[in-house]
């Protein structure tokens, strides 16, 4: 399908690279729909059963505790002052071509 759409959209319609991208997107969507439909129709034992697959309170509390701890760790890493300073000096080095501290010492 992707090859046929490539030929149609690039050669006949004249869309170029955009046509190739559109052909790939369309063929991937159609492939996903066909594959999903095949699995739903032929392999019903793999489909989730909401009656039996709902998490209980213990599982929810464990997931919240683990997720809460991870979110705190990542939020601290995102605002860690040393990291902010390091990124600032790295950006300064990229812009000036000199190390940031050397530029500040020489030109301040």
């Amino acid at each position: 399908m992707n090859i046929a759409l490539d030929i149609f959209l690039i050669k006949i319609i004249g869309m170029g690279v955009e046509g190739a991208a559109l052909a790939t997107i369309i063929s991937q969507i159609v492939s996903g729909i066909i594959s999903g439909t095949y699995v739903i129709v032929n392999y019903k034992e793999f489909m989730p059963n909401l009656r039996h697959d709902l998490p209980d309170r213990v599982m929810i509390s464990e997931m919240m505790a683990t997720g809460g701890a991870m979110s705190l760790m990542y939020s601290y890493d995102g605002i860690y002052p040393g990291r902010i300073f390091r990124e600032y000096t790295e950006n300064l080095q990229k812009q000036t071509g000199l190390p940031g501290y050397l530029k500040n010492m020489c030109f301040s």
Side-chain angles (χ1 to χ4, degrees), residues 28-98:
Q28 289 292 319
I29 289 171
V30 170
S31 173
I33 291 170
I34 291 172
S35 300
T37 304
Y38 180 80
V39 169
I40 289 170
V41 169
N42 294 317
Y43 296 99
K44 294 184 186 206
E45 64 270 11
F46 293 125
M47 297 306 298
N49 185 350
L50 294 179
R51 240 179 351 181
H52 302 293
D53 294 336
L54 290 176
D56 58 352
R57 287 185 176 177
V58 174
M59 183 185 298
I60 290 173
S61 65
E62 289 175 359
M63 290 185 333
M64 294 299 287
T66 305
M70 285 193 304
S71 67
L72 284 175
M73 287 189 319
Y74 284 118
S75 66
Y76 175 75
D77 186 45
I79 60 171
Y80 176 62
R83 179 179 175 190
I84 293 171
F85 180 73
R86 186 183 71 236
E87 289 178 5
Y88 170 75
T89 55
E90 287 173 359
N91 289 336
L92 189 61
Q93 289 173 6
K94 290 176 188 175
Q95 292 171 358
T96 61
L98 294 171

